[in-house]
Amino acid sequence: MNMKISGGEAGYIKYRKRILAIKLLLEAGIIAGLLILGYTQTGTRKNLLTIVAIIGCLPASKIAVLLLTILPYKTVSQNIITDLEEKAALLTKVYDTVLTSTEKILPVDCFVISGNTICGYASHKKADPAYTADFIKQILKQNGYEGISVKIFREYHAFLTRAEGMNKIASVERNQVKDLENGLKQLLVNISM
């Protein structure tokens, strides 16, 4: 049973890889079919279907680039999901993000959001927590979100401890911040691949 997994949900990276691979195979099949059909019909490569096949390489190459970009990254582990559901149940969560700035690709396993605080866990060896936090702050500011604290952790235990603390605060201060948290979540999903 294949269900659609939306951006920000656990398992999205794995789902996205599968969808991109299927699309790429379909595009390649269509291109090959056009080339074969054109050649069998005319006996030469110089035909209209060859031109259509060449033009069809543009969307196929775009899909290939997306697939190659996301390929090195893995979906968040079930242990992290379980820990966050248990220890940070009140927080808004965003999973499986691969943010892209003009200079770097920024994989973040998960984010927790409470009020005006965003914390993320980035386990990938190429992750740059300080750069990622600054990039997110810049994007938030460009979208009208002022005074948002962003912290990215490389160490899982430190991240989980912070998430637990945020959850305790959220249990006391649960007020009108759900709209803000949902807006922040949507922005993180929008800037992810």
Side-chain angles (χ1 to χ4, degrees), residues 51-146:
I51 294 170
V52 173
I54 291 170
I55 293 171
C57 289
L58 293 173
S61 62
K62 181 180 177 186
I63 293 168
V65 167
L66 288 172
L67 181 59
L68 289 173
T69 303
I70 202 168
L71 207 53
Y73 307 106
K74 294 182 176 153
T75 204
V76 67
S77 77
Q78 188 59 44
N79 294 338
I80 293 173
I81 297 166
T82 304
D83 285 348
L84 288 178
E85 289 304 319
E86 179 184 310
K87 298 178 181 183
L90 298 175
L91 304 182
T92 301
K93 295 165 213 61
V94 182
Y95 296 102
D96 285 0
T97 59
V98 180
L99 312 175
T100 53
S101 74
T102 55
E103 300 165 13
K104 294 183 180 186
I105 296 174
L106 313 165
V108 181
D109 297 64
C110 58
F111 290 100
V112 290
I113 306 168
S114 180
N116 63 350
T117 304
I118 299 173
C119 287
Y121 170 60
S123 67
H124 196 272
K125 62 184 178 219
K126 292 185 180 180
D128 184 347
Y131 182 88
T132 303
D134 289 341
F135 172 72
I136 293 169
K137 287 177 191 174
Q138 178 186 356
I139 295 295
L140 291 170
K141 189 173 182 179
Q142 289 172 1
N143 286 276
Y145 291 101
E146 298 286 337

